Amino acid sequence: MAASGMDYGREGGGAGTILTPARFVWPYGGRSVYLSGSFTGWSEHWPMTPVEGCPTVFQTICSLPPGYHQYKFIVDGEWRHDEHQPFVTGNYGVVNTILLAREPDFTPSVLTPHTTSGSSMDVDNEVFQRVVRVSDCTSHDPLTRISDADLAVSRQRISVFLSTHMAYELLPESGKVIALDVELPVKQAFHILFEQGISTAPLWDFSKGQFVGVLSALDFILIMRELGNHGSNLTEEELETHTISAWKEAKLYLSKQTIDQGKIFSKKLVRVGPDENLKDVTLKILQNRVATVPVTHSFSDDGSYPQLLYLASLSEILKLVCRYFRHSTSSLPILQLPICTLPLGTWVPKIGETNRQPLAILKPNSSLSSALNLFVQAEVSSIPIVDDNDSLLDVYSRSDITALAKDKIYTHINLEEMTIHQALQLGQEPYASHGGTPQRCHMCLRSDSLHKVMERLAKPGVRRVVIVEAGSKRVEGIISLGDIFRFLLS
């Protein structure tokens, strides 16, 4: 019996019964895995097969009639259910549930969860066939609908949690925070960012006894564009001795030149104290469009010579939210909704749509210059890199630009000639000695729940997830940490 083609009709579905393909996945390993459920009369066990390249993930595709079904897995002879999928308690103990649409108007694709050697893809191995139709995300399960009252209650509970927890709760038991002296040469400063694997560092001015700003990957992007500008007064030789403070002055001049275009690069330093609540911290990050805010504390009345305690980020705040509500998600109905039903993230516009912000996408052979222009002009922090079929290959982020600081690579390249593919290879070289590359592409499906996407974004190093079509990995949209909090606090 082929595990990838179970047919309910053969089990008594009757002539004329419309069957819908449904994919079942057990991603937790085992020597032998079988599927049984209400559609087999709980008597027959259908074998599941390991996914090629991922032996711990078992799958099978069954053709089932539309409606409500219950099922369980038999793993190495033991009855099991998947705690990460909808479940209820019934006559057969705790069982998983699935509701199939009445209209089988789509052909489900099977997403291959294996990754090739050296791949940077992070593929989700859970069940992709859900209550929501993949084609248009129209809900057929009344449980996935939410009233305005429930929506307001969910947001209120999250708001109360953030308002009653403080910034000091983000502080780790141990760790290091890097700050840069404003008199450091810019070239050396960006080399430090790259070597330390960070994209942002607070700036310290000894003469003022204060933190006066932040050096970020965006600064390097602006410098790269200036170096590529033939009319620029900034030369490669000057960059050897050009200090951070001198660059900030030049950056202020640049911002004055571009005020008419609405792009002001110079921003006032945003900081928070350890006793500020997390809602205020979150709003400061969102309103000032920054990735992190320094958490500082001064023992003097005038606030001079403050201590830098930590760099607060939305990722750390989301981790606390997920940890707090992890075992009480039912108290937040909003978390169970599929992301495609929510005003969340940036999506590829459908044919005929003109009111959506376009999603920035580039091909591997696009120039590095085109990516830098998008970072500055479109004010995006990451760009999905796709093939000719718009299938996801990689993601190029603002922080990746610091890789060009290694060995002064930026002095030997032409922004118009270097491709995105070449730039990504430069960024991956430091990891070669560690036996592979880090996962860069974190993906989800439009049918995934908000809770699932939040859990993924709460993982260290994950700043956004790319929404892809199952099977083809065609890019459908992108959701960032900022998108999550703007939605939760709106």
Side-chain angles (χ1 to χ4, degrees):
M1 186 180 299
S4 60
M6 301 300 175
D7 188 352
Y8 176 87
R10 186 179 55 79
E11 302 299 324
T17 301
I18 300 177
L19 302 181
T20 300
R23 179 172 182 254
F24 296 86
V25 175
W26 175 262
Y28 310 111
R31 292 186 299 274
S32 65
V33 181
Y34 293 84
L35 175 71
S36 186
S38 55
F39 40 83
T40 70
W42 296 102
S43 58
E44 185 174 354
H45 302 164
W46 291 350
M48 303 178 69
T49 57
V51 172
E52 181 182 356
C54 196
T56 61
V57 180
F58 290 77
Q59 71 171 359
T60 186
I61 298 177
C62 312
S63 295
L64 303 177
Y68 179 79
H69 301 279
Q70 297 182 349
Y71 63 95
K72 294 187 77 167
F73 302 93
I74 302 96
V75 183
D76 298 336
E78 180 182 352
W79 287 87
R80 302 278 297 276
H81 73 280
D82 188 345
E83 295 181 351
H84 294 91
Q85 299 303 322
F87 60 86
V88 297
T89 301
N91 296 333
Y92 293 88
V94 181
V95 297
N96 290 118
T97 62
I98 185 174
L99 181 65
L100 298 181
R102 293 288 170 186
E103 305 91 356
D105 57 352
F106 70 94
T107 303
S109 302
V110 179
L111 180 62
T112 306
H114 73 278
T115 55
T116 57
S117 177
S119 171
S120 60
M121 293 289 185
D122 175 19
V123 182
D124 195 345
N125 294 323
E126 295 186 18
V127 180
F128 296 123
Q129 167 62 43
R130 299 283 183 83
V131 173
V132 180
R133 294 185 296 173
V134 175
S135 59
D136 59 5
C137 209
T138 303
S139 173
H140 292 268
D141 182 2
L143 296 178
T144 65
R145 298 171 185 168
I146 188 169
S147 66
D148 291 340
D150 284 340
L151 180 60
V153 167
S154 296
R155 285 173 165 166
Q156 174 66 12
R157 286 174 177 166
I158 290 177
S159 179
V160 168
F161 169 80
L162 293 175
S163 299
T164 53
H165 288 74
M166 307 302 157
Y168 63 76
E169 298 180 50
L170 300 174
L171 305 183
E173 293 183 1
S174 62
K176 64 179 180 180
V177 183
I178 296 174
L180 302 175
D181 188 334
V182 292
E183 297 306 316
L184 270 177
V186 171
K187 177 186 70 69
Q188 184 178 349
F190 285 117
H191 185 76
I192 291 173
L193 292 185
F194 172 71
E195 289 297 325
Q196 296 297 323
I198 57 179
S199 60
T200 304
L203 300 176
W204 175 259
D205 189 329
F206 274 102
S207 64
K208 298 179 180 178
Q210 289 285 355
F211 291 102
V212 295
V214 169
L215 189 73
S216 69
L218 180 58
D219 288 295
F220 197 23
I221 291 172
L222 296 175
I223 288 177
M224 291 294 299
R225 296 178 79 213
E226 273 298 290
L227 288 175
N229 181 3
H230 297 296
S232 172
N233 293 321
L234 182 63
T235 65
E236 296 170 4
E237 292 75 17
E238 290 174 334
L239 200 58
E240 295 286 333
T241 56
H242 207 62
T243 64
I244 297 174
S245 59
W247 158 245
K248 288 297 182 180
E249 292 180 7
K251 182 181 176 183
L252 182 61
Y253 174 74
L254 285 175
S255 69
K256 290 179 180 178
Q257 288 185 318
T258 54
I259 286 178
D260 292 339
Q261 303 175 20
K263 302 291 189 298
I264 302 179
F265 304 128
S266 185
K267 296 179 180 179
K268 183 180 178 181
L269 175 65
V270 182
R271 70 179 80 186
V272 298
D275 294 323
E276 289 193 46
N277 68 67
L278 293 181
K279 182 176 181 180
D280 288 343
V281 175
T282 301
L283 292 176
K284 282 188 176 182
I285 292 176
L286 295 177
Q287 292 167 358
N288 291 277
R289 302 179 65 85
V290 294
T292 60
V293 292
V295 182
T296 62
H297 175 67
S298 176
F299 292 98
S300 60
D301 294 335
D302 61 0
S304 59
Y305 293 96
Q307 289 183 324
L308 177 61
L309 304 178
Y310 194 58
L311 292 180
S313 68
L314 294 180
S315 176
E316 297 295 329
I317 297 173
L318 185 62
K319 185 189 299 183
L320 285 184
V321 172
C322 290
R323 183 185 305 162
Y324 183 82
F325 290 105
R326 182 165 294 157
H327 302 296
S328 59
T329 55
S330 59
S331 66
L332 297 174
I334 195 175
L335 297 185
Q336 309 306 322
L337 290 175
I339 56 173
C340 63
T341 65
L342 305 172
L344 181 66
T346 303
W347 294 73
V348 174
K350 295 180 180 179
I351 297 176
E353 277 187 331
T354 58
N355 59 342
R356 269 189 177 176
Q357 176 186 351
L359 179 67
I361 294 177
L362 289 176
K363 302 293 177 61
N365 59 355
S366 300
S367 68
L368 181 57
S369 176
S370 62
L372 302 192
N373 290 338
L374 281 174
F375 288 143
V376 175
Q377 296 170 2
E379 298 186 81
V380 297
S381 61
S382 61
I383 305 169
I385 309 303
V386 300
D387 61 16
D388 292 335
N389 297 316
D390 289 337
S391 296
L392 184 65
L393 298 175
D394 213 320
V395 173
Y396 194 65
S397 303
R398 274 198 310 222
S399 57
D400 291 323
I401 197 69
T402 57
L404 300 181
K406 181 188 177 187
D407 300 327
K408 297 193 294 185
I409 294 174
Y410 58 87
T411 64
H412 310 301
I413 64 172
N414 184 306
L415 296 181
E416 295 293 341
E417 295 177 357
M418 172 168 273
T419 66
I420 299 294
H421 175 69
Q422 293 170 329
L424 284 167
Q425 287 182 318
L426 291 174
Q428 293 173 1
E429 284 181 357
Y431 303 99
S433 60
H434 294 81
T437 59
Q439 290 179 336
R440 296 171 45 86
C441 296
H442 301 274
M443 298 178 288
C444 69
L445 299 180
R446 59 168 48 230
S447 57
D448 285 339
S449 68
L450 175 60
H451 177 250
K452 181 176 179 180
V453 172
M454 287 171 57
E455 287 280 1
R456 174 148 295 192
L457 283 168
K459 294 180 180 179
V462 182
R463 298 176 183 175
R464 82 261 329 147
V465 292
V466 182
I467 308 162
V468 298
E469 181 184 67
S472 69
K473 295 194 183 81
R474 187 168 61 225
V475 173
E476 296 187 320
I478 192 167
I479 296 177
S480 67
L481 284 162
D483 293 329
I484 293 290
F485 280 102
R486 274 187 287 271
F487 171 71
L488 293 178
L489 297 178
S490 62

